Amino acid sequence: MLVKLDVQGMEAAVVRGSPRLFDMARVVLAEVSVIPLYEGQCTFADLYTLLGQHGFDYRGVVEQFHLSDGTPVYFDALFTKKN
């Protein structure tokens, strides 16, 4: 099962609020902001830790989005379940 997270900085709340979903999932694709866009937003480090608690490993960036000057704004991070 694939879970796609695109929840404007609320990733931690979704993971904490849906533990059974993340225990059943095999792949998570999560949009993660590089620069602060929302008050109290989940950081990549927070998401990495939370998904690690559900048995996921970080596998890399699928796609990255930039400002016109090249500054990264957000990226899609891929996590897969450990075997």
Side-chain angles (χ1 to χ4, degrees), residues 15-61:
V15 174
R16 287 185 184 116
S18 307
R20 290 193 65 222
L21 173 67
F22 289 92
D23 288 341
M24 293 185 312
R26 303 292 304 154
V27 178
V28 174
L29 185 61
E31 183 180 289
V32 181
S33 296
V34 177
I35 58 176
L37 299 173
Y38 309 101
E39 185 175 328
Q41 78 183 42
C42 179
T43 66
F44 175 75
D46 296 334
L47 187 60
Y48 179 92
T49 299
L50 284 170
L51 290 176
Q53 292 169 355
H54 287 277
F56 287 91
D57 283 326
Y58 172 66
R59 298 297 183 191
V61 173

